[in-house]
Amino acid sequence: MTQLDGTDRAILNALQENGRLTNAELAAGVNLSPSACLRRVRLLEESGLIARTVALLDPRLAGVPGTAYVSVTLDSQGRKALDTFEQAVRHVPEITECYLLAGQHDYLLRVVYHDSRDLERIHTEILTPLPGVVRVQSTLTLRTVKRTTKLPI
């Protein structure tokens, strides 16, 4: 989907704020009939722009109040080394985000943990043994100032 009109943007913004809106509530909020609204939402889903609908959990209540950003350097930047590392990362639930970087480090990981003992376990038993890892550097967060999944549409 290459062209979004104002109504599409309104639908996307409303759903990013509250993915549990009923179709009737959404339609009323964007000034469409329910059938027209549902048709547009389905087109946005079919286009892939709406990738999926999820529930966002409170990390503290979920028992993982700690967040660390971990820079990882590999011993090789060849395609096979990157693929092997990325495949291994996909299976680690404590790693909630992984980004391939251009710059000093190869990857940036977002890691969640229960407490300092758990972070140490993750570091020694999970992160450093990942394929090709030669350096792991962690930065711990003190407080979340802003956290959103909402994209500026």
Side-chain angles (χ1 to χ4, degrees):
M1 175 163 282
T2 56
Q3 294 287 13
L4 296 176
D5 64 16
T7 303
D8 291 328
R9 283 179 174 55
I11 289 170
L12 293 169
N13 281 316
L15 289 175
Q16 286 187 98
E17 285 290 328
N18 183 359
R20 294 188 71 171
L21 288 172
T22 66
N23 184 60
E25 292 168 333
L26 180 59
V30 298
N31 298 318
L32 284 177
S33 70
S35 61
C37 184
L38 184 58
R39 190 169 36 257
R40 282 185 180 246
V41 170
R42 285 193 177 143
L43 286 171
L44 291 165
E45 290 170 340
E46 289 169 8
S47 76
L49 187 55
I50 296 177
R52 66 181 190 243
T53 303
V54 299
L56 299 177
L57 305 183
D58 182 308
R60 290 184 200 279
L61 296 177
V64 285
T67 300
Y69 288 90
V70 181
S71 299
V72 174
T73 304
L74 301 182
D75 58 3
S76 168
Q77 287 74 41
R79 182 79 261 152
K80 184 175 179 179
L82 298 178
D83 289 345
T84 302
F85 176 82
E86 291 171 13
Q87 186 60 31
V89 162
R90 286 185 181 97
H91 300 291
V92 180
E94 295 90 348
I95 299 172
T96 59
E97 297 175 44
C98 176
Y99 302 95
L100 178 62
L101 303 176
Q104 184 177 3
H105 303 286
D106 296 312
Y107 289 92
L108 179 65
L109 311 178
R110 180 175 177 263
V111 175
V112 296
Y113 59 92
H114 302 286
D115 54 27
S116 61
R117 185 176 290 145
D118 190 37
L119 179 59
E120 180 180 2
R121 176 192 65 81
I122 293 166
H123 184 273
T124 58
E125 296 176 17
I126 296 174
L127 298 178
T128 55
L130 284 169
V133 171
V134 294
R135 185 196 316 256
V136 173
Q137 183 178 3
S138 298
T139 301
L140 308 183
T141 64
L142 298 176
R143 178 170 47 100
T144 300
V145 176
K146 179 180 180 182
R147 181 174 179 243
T148 185
T149 60
K150 186 175 181 182
L151 299 176
I153 302 292

mmCIF file of all heavy atoms in Angstrom, residues 21-57:
data_model
loop_
_atom_site.group_PDB
_atom_site.id
_atom_site.type_symbol
_atom_site.label_atom_id
_atom_site.label_comp_id
_atom_site.label_asym_id
_atom_site.label_seq_id
_atom_site.Cartn_x
_atom_site.Cartn_y
_atom_site.Cartn_z
ATOM 1 N N LEU A 21 -10.231 -1.667 20.020
ATOM 2 C CA LEU A 21 -11.453 -0.987 19.584
ATOM 3 C C LEU A 21 -12.309 -1.946 18.769
ATOM 4 O O LEU A 21 -11.796 -2.680 17.924
ATOM 5 C CB LEU A 21 -11.120 0.226 18.711
ATOM 6 C CG LEU A 21 -10.516 1.446 19.381
ATOM 7 C CD1 LEU A 21 -10.084 2.451 18.314
ATOM 8 C CD2 LEU A 21 -11.507 2.072 20.342
ATOM 9 N N THR A 22 -13.598 -1.920 19.013
ATOM 10 C CA THR A 22 -14.488 -2.684 18.141
ATOM 11 C C THR A 22 -14.564 -1.965 16.804
ATOM 12 O O THR A 22 -14.243 -0.770 16.694
ATOM 13 C CB THR A 22 -15.902 -2.789 18.736
ATOM 14 O OG1 THR A 22 -16.483 -1.484 18.761
ATOM 15 C CG2 THR A 22 -15.887 -3.401 20.135
ATOM 16 N N ASN A 23 -15.005 -2.669 15.796
ATOM 17 C CA ASN A 23 -15.156 -2.040 14.492
ATOM 18 C C ASN A 23 -16.145 -0.880 14.568
ATOM 19 O O ASN A 23 -15.932 0.165 13.948
ATOM 20 C CB ASN A 23 -15.598 -3.054 13.436
ATOM 21 C CG ASN A 23 -15.664 -2.425 12.067
ATOM 22 O OD1 ASN A 23 -14.666 -1.925 11.552
ATOM 23 N ND2 ASN A 23 -16.850 -2.415 11.472
ATOM 24 N N ALA A 24 -17.217 -1.036 15.344
ATOM 25 C CA ALA A 24 -18.207 0.042 15.485
ATOM 26 C C ALA A 24 -17.584 1.266 16.141
ATOM 27 O O ALA A 24 -17.826 2.404 15.707
ATOM 28 C CB ALA A 24 -19.409 -0.443 16.287
ATOM 29 N N GLU A 25 -16.768 1.060 17.186
ATOM 30 C CA GLU A 25 -16.105 2.186 17.866
ATOM 31 C C GLU A 25 -15.112 2.866 16.924
ATOM 32 O O GLU A 25 -15.047 4.095 16.860
ATOM 33 C CB GLU A 25 -15.378 1.699 19.119
ATOM 34 C CG GLU A 25 -16.281 1.235 20.219
ATOM 35 C CD GLU A 25 -15.556 0.504 21.329
ATOM 36 O OE1 GLU A 25 -14.486 -0.100 21.069
ATOM 37 O OE2 GLU A 25 -16.058 0.527 22.466
ATOM 38 N N LEU A 26 -14.355 2.069 16.212
ATOM 39 C CA LEU A 26 -13.384 2.610 15.265
ATOM 40 C C LEU A 26 -14.085 3.395 14.167
ATOM 41 O O LEU A 26 -13.687 4.524 13.845
ATOM 42 C CB LEU A 26 -12.546 1.480 14.671
ATOM 43 C CG LEU A 26 -11.468 1.871 13.657
ATOM 44 C CD1 LEU A 26 -10.461 2.835 14.266
ATOM 45 C CD2 LEU A 26 -10.782 0.617 13.121
ATOM 46 N N ALA A 27 -15.134 2.822 13.603
ATOM 47 C CA ALA A 27 -15.876 3.484 12.536
ATOM 48 C C ALA A 27 -16.421 4.831 12.998
ATOM 49 O O ALA A 27 -16.315 5.835 12.282
ATOM 50 C CB ALA A 27 -17.016 2.587 12.050
ATOM 51 N N ALA A 28 -16.987 4.869 14.201
ATOM 52 C CA ALA A 28 -17.517 6.132 14.735
ATOM 53 C C ALA A 28 -16.400 7.146 14.924
ATOM 54 O O ALA A 28 -16.570 8.331 14.636
ATOM 55 C CB ALA A 28 -18.247 5.881 16.049
ATOM 56 N N GLY A 29 -15.252 6.674 15.368
ATOM 57 C CA GLY A 29 -14.126 7.576 15.621
ATOM 58 C C GLY A 29 -13.512 8.171 14.371
ATOM 59 O O GLY A 29 -12.898 9.233 14.424
ATOM 60 N N VAL A 30 -13.651 7.488 13.246
ATOM 61 C CA VAL A 30 -13.064 7.986 11.998
ATOM 62 C C VAL A 30 -14.126 8.412 10.992
ATOM 63 O O VAL A 30 -13.815 8.654 9.821
ATOM 64 C CB VAL A 30 -12.098 6.943 11.373
ATOM 65 C CG1 VAL A 30 -10.935 6.648 12.302
ATOM 66 C CG2 VAL A 30 -12.830 5.675 10.970
ATOM 67 N N ASN A 31 -15.368 8.500 11.446
ATOM 68 C CA ASN A 31 -16.485 8.973 10.619
ATOM 69 C C ASN A 31 -16.723 8.139 9.374
ATOM 70 O O ASN A 31 -16.854 8.659 8.265
ATOM 71 C CB ASN A 31 -16.285 10.448 10.240
ATOM 72 C CG ASN A 31 -16.247 11.337 11.461
ATOM 73 O OD1 ASN A 31 -17.040 11.171 12.385
ATOM 74 N ND2 ASN A 31 -15.303 12.259 11.481
ATOM 75 N N LEU A 32 -16.799 6.825 9.567
ATOM 76 C CA LEU A 32 -17.123 5.907 8.480
ATOM 77 C C LEU A 32 -18.263 5.003 8.930
ATOM 78 O O LEU A 32 -18.504 4.837 10.122
ATOM 79 C CB LEU A 32 -15.926 5.007 8.145
ATOM 80 C CG LEU A 32 -14.771 5.579 7.351
ATOM 81 C CD1 LEU A 32 -13.688 4.520 7.203
ATOM 82 C CD2 LEU A 32 -15.212 6.067 5.986
ATOM 83 N N SER A 33 -18.915 4.398 7.963
ATOM 84 C CA SER A 33 -19.879 3.350 8.304
ATOM 85 C C SER A 33 -19.077 2.134 8.766
ATOM 86 O O SER A 33 -17.916 1.958 8.355
ATOM 87 C CB SER A 33 -20.740 2.993 7.100
ATOM 88 O OG SER A 33 -19.956 2.313 6.140
ATOM 89 N N PRO A 34 -19.651 1.280 9.598
ATOM 90 C CA PRO A 34 -18.921 0.090 10.034
ATOM 91 C C PRO A 34 -18.436 -0.789 8.880
ATOM 92 O O PRO A 34 -17.314 -1.291 8.922
ATOM 93 C CB PRO A 34 -19.937 -0.643 10.919
ATOM 94 C CG PRO A 34 -20.793 0.451 11.467
ATOM 95 C CD PRO A 34 -20.928 1.433 10.331
ATOM 96 N N SER A 35 -19.252 -0.952 7.843
ATOM 97 C CA SER A 35 -18.827 -1.813 6.725
ATOM 98 C C SER A 35 -17.647 -1.189 5.965
ATOM 99 O O SER A 35 -16.707 -1.888 5.591
ATOM 100 C CB SER A 35 -19.992 -2.101 5.778
ATOM 101 O OG SER A 35 -20.494 -0.905 5.227
ATOM 102 N N ALA A 36 -17.688 0.120 5.744
ATOM 103 C CA ALA A 36 -16.577 0.792 5.052
ATOM 104 C C ALA A 36 -15.305 0.745 5.902
ATOM 105 O O ALA A 36 -14.203 0.554 5.374
ATOM 106 C CB ALA A 36 -16.953 2.236 4.734
ATOM 107 N N CYS A 37 -15.465 0.912 7.201
ATOM 108 C CA CYS A 37 -14.318 0.867 8.102
ATOM 109 C C CYS A 37 -13.682 -0.520 8.088
ATOM 110 O O CYS A 37 -12.463 -0.654 7.965
ATOM 111 C CB CYS A 37 -14.758 1.254 9.513
ATOM 112 S SG CYS A 37 -13.401 1.335 10.685
ATOM 113 N N LEU A 38 -14.499 -1.549 8.204
ATOM 114 C CA LEU A 38 -13.990 -2.920 8.198
ATOM 115 C C LEU A 38 -13.273 -3.228 6.886
ATOM 116 O O LEU A 38 -12.206 -3.864 6.878
ATOM 117 C CB LEU A 38 -15.134 -3.909 8.423
ATOM 118 C CG LEU A 38 -14.746 -5.373 8.532
ATOM 119 C CD1 LEU A 38 -13.761 -5.596 9.672
ATOM 120 C CD2 LEU A 38 -15.991 -6.224 8.718
ATOM 121 N N ARG A 39 -13.819 -2.759 5.794
ATOM 122 C CA ARG A 39 -13.200 -2.974 4.485
ATOM 123 C C ARG A 39 -11.808 -2.332 4.449
ATOM 124 O O ARG A 39 -10.842 -2.935 3.992
ATOM 125 C CB ARG A 39 -14.107 -2.391 3.391
ATOM 126 C CG ARG A 39 -13.720 -2.752 1.983
ATOM 127 C CD ARG A 39 -14.771 -2.379 0.921
ATOM 128 N NE ARG A 39 -15.501 -1.132 1.152
ATOM 129 C CZ ARG A 39 -16.765 -1.052 1.608
ATOM 130 N NH1 ARG A 39 -17.435 -2.151 1.891
ATOM 131 N NH2 ARG A 39 -17.355 0.111 1.779
ATOM 132 N N ARG A 40 -11.699 -1.109 4.966
ATOM 133 C CA ARG A 40 -10.398 -0.424 4.973
ATOM 134 C C ARG A 40 -9.395 -1.129 5.892
ATOM 135 O O ARG A 40 -8.222 -1.267 5.543
ATOM 136 C CB ARG A 40 -10.557 1.033 5.397
ATOM 137 C CG ARG A 40 -11.090 1.917 4.276
ATOM 138 C CD ARG A 40 -11.083 3.366 4.758
ATOM 139 N NE ARG A 40 -11.574 4.271 3.757
ATOM 140 C CZ ARG A 40 -10.818 5.203 3.174
ATOM 141 N NH1 ARG A 40 -9.566 5.351 3.502
ATOM 142 N NH2 ARG A 40 -11.354 6.008 2.281
ATOM 143 N N VAL A 41 -9.851 -1.552 7.056
ATOM 144 C CA VAL A 41 -8.951 -2.253 7.981
ATOM 145 C C VAL A 41 -8.443 -3.540 7.329
ATOM 146 O O VAL A 41 -7.248 -3.851 7.390
ATOM 147 C CB VAL A 41 -9.637 -2.545 9.333
ATOM 148 C CG1 VAL A 41 -8.795 -3.486 10.192
ATOM 149 C CG2 VAL A 41 -9.901 -1.245 10.085
ATOM 150 N N ARG A 42 -9.319 -4.261 6.679
ATOM 151 C CA ARG A 42 -8.904 -5.501 6.004
ATOM 152 C C ARG A 42 -7.891 -5.219 4.893
ATOM 153 O O ARG A 42 -6.933 -5.976 4.712
ATOM 154 C CB ARG A 42 -10.116 -6.236 5.462
ATOM 155 C CG ARG A 42 -10.883 -6.913 6.585
ATOM 156 C CD ARG A 42 -11.889 -7.899 6.074
ATOM 157 N NE ARG A 42 -12.529 -8.568 7.198
ATOM 158 C CZ ARG A 42 -13.794 -8.918 7.232
ATOM 159 N NH1 ARG A 42 -14.579 -8.681 6.200
ATOM 160 N NH2 ARG A 42 -14.293 -9.527 8.287
ATOM 161 N N LEU A 43 -8.080 -4.139 4.148
ATOM 162 C CA LEU A 43 -7.108 -3.770 3.113
ATOM 163 C C LEU A 43 -5.754 -3.417 3.729
ATOM 164 O O LEU A 43 -4.700 -3.775 3.190
ATOM 165 C CB LEU A 43 -7.629 -2.599 2.275
ATOM 166 C CG LEU A 43 -8.736 -2.931 1.278
ATOM 167 C CD1 LEU A 43 -9.315 -1.651 0.666
ATOM 168 C CD2 LEU A 43 -8.206 -3.853 0.187
ATOM 169 N N LEU A 44 -5.778 -2.711 4.864
ATOM 170 C CA LEU A 44 -4.531 -2.360 5.556
ATOM 171 C C LEU A 44 -3.825 -3.622 6.068
ATOM 172 O O LEU A 44 -2.594 -3.707 6.031
ATOM 173 C CB LEU A 44 -4.803 -1.391 6.702
ATOM 174 C CG LEU A 44 -5.246 0.011 6.271
ATOM 175 C CD1 LEU A 44 -5.839 0.778 7.441
ATOM 176 C CD2 LEU A 44 -4.082 0.774 5.652
ATOM 177 N N GLU A 45 -4.604 -4.598 6.518
ATOM 178 C CA GLU A 45 -4.027 -5.866 6.963
ATOM 179 C C GLU A 45 -3.469 -6.655 5.776
ATOM 180 O O GLU A 45 -2.345 -7.164 5.829
ATOM 181 C CB GLU A 45 -5.078 -6.707 7.696
ATOM 182 C CG GLU A 45 -5.467 -6.147 9.040
ATOM 183 C CD GLU A 45 -6.668 -6.835 9.670
ATOM 184 O OE1 GLU A 45 -7.456 -7.493 8.935
ATOM 185 O OE2 GLU A 45 -6.817 -6.708 10.885
ATOM 186 N N GLU A 46 -4.231 -6.738 4.707
ATOM 187 C CA GLU A 46 -3.799 -7.478 3.525
ATOM 188 C C GLU A 46 -2.550 -6.870 2.895
ATOM 189 O O GLU A 46 -1.712 -7.585 2.340
ATOM 190 C CB GLU A 46 -4.930 -7.554 2.499
ATOM 191 C CG GLU A 46 -6.068 -8.458 2.923
ATOM 192 C CD GLU A 46 -7.300 -8.327 2.036
ATOM 193 O OE1 GLU A 46 -7.228 -7.637 0.994
ATOM 194 O OE2 GLU A 46 -8.346 -8.905 2.396
ATOM 195 N N SER A 47 -2.414 -5.553 2.990
ATOM 196 C CA SER A 47 -1.237 -4.891 2.431
ATOM 197 C C SER A 47 0.012 -5.158 3.264
ATOM 198 O O SER A 47 1.127 -4.940 2.796
ATOM 199 C CB SER A 47 -1.470 -3.378 2.347
ATOM 200 O OG SER A 47 -1.358 -2.790 3.647
ATOM 201 N N GLY A 48 -0.186 -5.617 4.494
ATOM 202 C CA GLY A 48 0.939 -5.857 5.390
ATOM 203 C C GLY A 48 1.273 -4.665 6.267
ATOM 204 O O GLY A 48 2.133 -4.762 7.147
ATOM 205 N N LEU A 49 0.634 -3.523 6.037
ATOM 206 C CA LEU A 49 0.917 -2.354 6.863
ATOM 207 C C LEU A 49 0.527 -2.620 8.317
ATOM 208 O O LEU A 49 1.273 -2.303 9.234
ATOM 209 C CB LEU A 49 0.192 -1.120 6.325
ATOM 210 C CG LEU A 49 0.535 0.202 7.007
ATOM 211 C CD1 LEU A 49 2.034 0.484 6.986
ATOM 212 C CD2 LEU A 49 -0.202 1.339 6.341
ATOM 213 N N ILE A 50 -0.637 -3.229 8.529
ATOM 214 C CA ILE A 50 -0.970 -3.735 9.859
ATOM 215 C C ILE A 50 -0.414 -5.152 9.890
ATOM 216 O O ILE A 50 -0.980 -6.070 9.301
ATOM 217 C CB ILE A 50 -2.494 -3.733 10.119
ATOM 218 C CG1 ILE A 50 -3.031 -2.306 10.107
ATOM 219 C CG2 ILE A 50 -2.797 -4.413 11.460
ATOM 220 C CD1 ILE A 50 -4.545 -2.207 10.289
ATOM 221 N N ALA A 51 0.725 -5.296 10.548
ATOM 222 C CA ALA A 51 1.430 -6.577 10.531
ATOM 223 C C ALA A 51 0.772 -7.601 11.448
ATOM 224 O O ALA A 51 0.689 -8.781 11.110
ATOM 225 C CB ALA A 51 2.890 -6.374 10.944
ATOM 226 N N ARG A 52 0.322 -7.151 12.617
ATOM 227 C CA ARG A 52 -0.348 -8.034 13.570
ATOM 228 C C ARG A 52 -0.879 -7.187 14.716
ATOM 229 O O ARG A 52 -0.514 -6.031 14.868
ATOM 230 C CB ARG A 52 0.573 -9.125 14.079
ATOM 231 C CG ARG A 52 1.729 -8.590 14.921
ATOM 232 C CD ARG A 52 2.630 -9.723 15.386
ATOM 233 N NE ARG A 52 3.554 -9.216 16.355
ATOM 234 C CZ ARG A 52 4.855 -9.188 16.212
ATOM 235 N NH1 ARG A 52 5.400 -9.670 15.123
ATOM 236 N NH2 ARG A 52 5.629 -8.697 17.146
ATOM 237 N N THR A 53 -1.727 -7.783 15.518
ATOM 238 C CA THR A 53 -2.271 -7.116 16.692
ATOM 239 C C THR A 53 -1.796 -7.885 17.914
ATOM 240 O O THR A 53 -1.895 -9.114 17.955
ATOM 241 C CB THR A 53 -3.811 -7.098 16.646
ATOM 242 O OG1 THR A 53 -4.202 -6.453 15.423
ATOM 243 C CG2 THR A 53 -4.392 -6.335 17.812
ATOM 244 N N VAL A 54 -1.257 -7.160 18.898
ATOM 245 C CA VAL A 54 -0.677 -7.807 20.081
ATOM 246 C C VAL A 54 -1.140 -7.098 21.349
ATOM 247 O O VAL A 54 -1.659 -5.984 21.307
ATOM 248 C CB VAL A 54 0.872 -7.780 20.026
ATOM 249 C CG1 VAL A 54 1.387 -8.525 18.814
ATOM 250 C CG2 VAL A 54 1.400 -6.359 20.047
ATOM 251 N N ALA A 55 -0.895 -7.747 22.485
ATOM 252 C CA ALA A 55 -1.109 -7.116 23.792
ATOM 253 C C ALA A 55 0.256 -6.673 24.312
ATOM 254 O O ALA A 55 1.227 -7.429 24.263
ATOM 255 C CB ALA A 55 -1.738 -8.108 24.766
ATOM 256 N N LEU A 56 0.353 -5.440 24.786
ATOM 257 C CA LEU A 56 1.593 -4.936 25.363
ATOM 258 C C LEU A 56 1.534 -5.129 26.875
ATOM 259 O O LEU A 56 0.624 -4.635 27.533
ATOM 260 C CB LEU A 56 1.775 -3.455 25.023
ATOM 261 C CG LEU A 56 1.871 -3.132 23.537
ATOM 262 C CD1 LEU A 56 1.979 -1.631 23.317
ATOM 263 C CD2 LEU A 56 3.053 -3.849 22.912
ATOM 264 N N LEU A 57 2.502 -5.853 27.413
ATOM 265 C CA LEU A 57 2.520 -6.157 28.827
ATOM 266 C C LEU A 57 3.336 -5.134 29.604
ATOM 267 O O LEU A 57 4.300 -4.567 29.084
ATOM 268 C CB LEU A 57 3.122 -7.549 29.057
ATOM 269 C CG LEU A 57 2.469 -8.704 28.298
ATOM 270 C CD1 LEU A 57 3.138 -10.017 28.681
ATOM 271 C CD2 LEU A 57 0.979 -8.762 28.535
#
